Amino acid sequence: LENHFDKRLDPSLLVDDAKSVISVLFNYYTDDIQTDPDAPIISKYAYGNDYHHVIKEKLNLLFDFIKTKNKNVTGRVFVDSAPVLERAWAKQSGLGWIGKNGMLINKKIGSFVFIAELIINLELEYDTPINEYCGTCTRCIDACPTNAIIDDKIVDGSKCISYLTIELRGEIPLEFEGKLQNMVFGCDICQDVCPHNSKAKPHEHEGLKPIRALLEMNKNDWCRLDKSGFNQHFKKSAINRTRYAGLKRNLNFLKVK
């Protein structure tokens, strides 16, 4: 996060003459689950096709619509593709508040959402932040198996299971042995226990529809997974981010053999 910090704070360094950040939320919650309770667990956001492509296509449609209203508009679409403080902008625009687990929480649909932005050179009528509604609840803090949430809105990223199984390069530190709760890609634990996610409703986006073959992989399928199988199962999935070597590292750490 220290890289390009100036651009995170100043959108005009990403888009010339930037005047507005349009933040959008994209629901990815689903009632579908992995069929084998003993299979390594993946985060809900990775059940379907890689969200980057799905959301970017929809944001480009929004941008095209805006261009029909003002031919002089310029800007860029961002879906995890640049140093943008997405949660801060979403909070500023009133789409939710930052929970104790560091996630943006929307009062109506919870936190199982992707955040994306359209930064443009037009001044708009701006929204404002809303109140916070976590109160005295500490369920996310209490549930984190690696104690990554060390205080209200303070997360030690180096202990987060999502970081350990996706972003980390190299071996997972032995101090986390037995603490990953069978998570092999990402982690939903702090979101699963959040009371606000009891309001979550399944999305209806065809592009993010869960891939049945992926959800139906049993423990033996994961054990036998080779590079060819990885390419077959995860070609269009966000799981491809770990590459085969990274996923095998995670499986070995979980002792899925």
Side-chain angles (χ1 to χ4, degrees):
L1 290 175
E2 293 176 350
N3 295 335
H4 310 295
F5 193 70
D6 55 339
K7 293 181 180 179
R8 298 182 191 278
L9 298 178
D10 184 358
S12 67
L13 298 178
L14 295 170
V15 175
D16 290 340
D17 198 30
K19 296 289 194 304
S20 300
V21 178
I22 301 173
S23 292
V24 301
L25 301 185
F26 198 87
N27 176 28
Y28 68 84
Y29 181 76
T30 175
D31 285 333
D32 287 290
I33 60 173
Q34 293 172 253
T35 57
D36 182 0
D38 295 322
I41 302 169
I42 60 177
S43 290
K44 291 180 180 65
Y45 86 84
Y47 282 4
N49 290 333
D50 191 332
Y51 67 94
H52 294 85
H53 309 299
V54 177
I55 300 176
K56 198 162 196 176
E57 181 179 345
K58 288 183 175 293
L59 262 184
N60 278 322
L61 289 174
L62 173 60
F63 195 16
D64 289 342
F65 171 77
I66 294 173
K67 290 175 183 176
T68 67
K69 302 298 181 180
N70 188 321
K71 64 181 181 179
N72 295 318
V73 64
T74 59
R76 286 176 61 189
V77 163
F78 298 94
V79 185
D80 287 348
S81 56
V84 178
L85 289 176
E86 57 182 24
R87 294 178 194 180
W89 291 119
K91 175 189 175 183
Q92 186 69 17
S93 66
L95 290 178
W97 72 96
I98 305 300
K100 292 178 181 177
N101 60 354
M103 304 292 290
L104 182 93
I105 304 175
N106 179 276
K107 193 173 183 181
K108 292 183 178 179
I109 59 176
S111 64
F112 286 104
V113 293
F114 297 123
I115 309 173
E117 302 78 31
L118 176 54
I119 299 179
I120 60 176
N121 66 336
L122 299 181
E123 289 192 3
L124 303 173
E125 182 178 337
Y126 302 117
D127 296 298
T128 56
I130 63 172
N131 294 328
E132 297 185 3
Y133 295 94
C134 286
T136 59
C137 178
T138 59
R139 292 188 189 182
C140 59
I141 297 175
D142 300 336
C144 181
T146 59
N147 297 315
I149 309 171
I150 57 180
D151 204 347
D152 184 4
K153 302 181 183 65
I154 301 177
V155 179
D156 184 342
S158 67
K159 294 182 178 180
C160 178
I161 294 176
S162 286
Y163 168 77
L164 294 170
T165 58
I166 302 175
E167 306 296 341
L168 176 66
R169 297 296 175 260
E171 295 304 312
I172 299 174
L174 290 177
E175 66 184 275
F176 297 108
E177 190 169 7
K179 297 181 180 180
L180 298 195
Q181 301 285 299
N182 210 29
M183 302 293 301
V184 75
F185 183 88
C187 182
D188 291 332
I189 292 174
C190 67
Q191 297 192 86
D192 286 335
V193 300
C194 178
H196 293 285
N197 282 324
S198 64
K199 304 173 185 178
K201 293 181 171 56
H203 70 80
E204 298 178 351
H205 306 297
E206 188 65 27
L208 293 179
K209 187 176 180 180
I211 301 169
R212 297 311 313 172
L214 194 161
L215 295 188
E216 292 171 0
M217 288 178 65
N218 58 39
K219 184 177 180 180
N220 288 334
D221 293 330
W222 287 94
C223 289
R224 295 192 296 262
L225 189 67
D226 57 16
K227 192 167 185 178
S228 175
F230 175 86
N231 293 334
Q232 176 185 344
H233 284 292
F234 308 126
K235 182 178 180 180
K236 296 182 178 181
S237 167
I239 295 175
N240 198 35
R241 281 178 64 187
T242 65
R243 303 189 183 279
Y244 175 67
L247 189 64
K248 287 298 290 184
R249 175 204 63 183
N250 298 345
L251 289 169
N252 291 336
F253 193 80
L254 293 176
K255 295 182 171 56
V256 179
K257 297 178 181 179

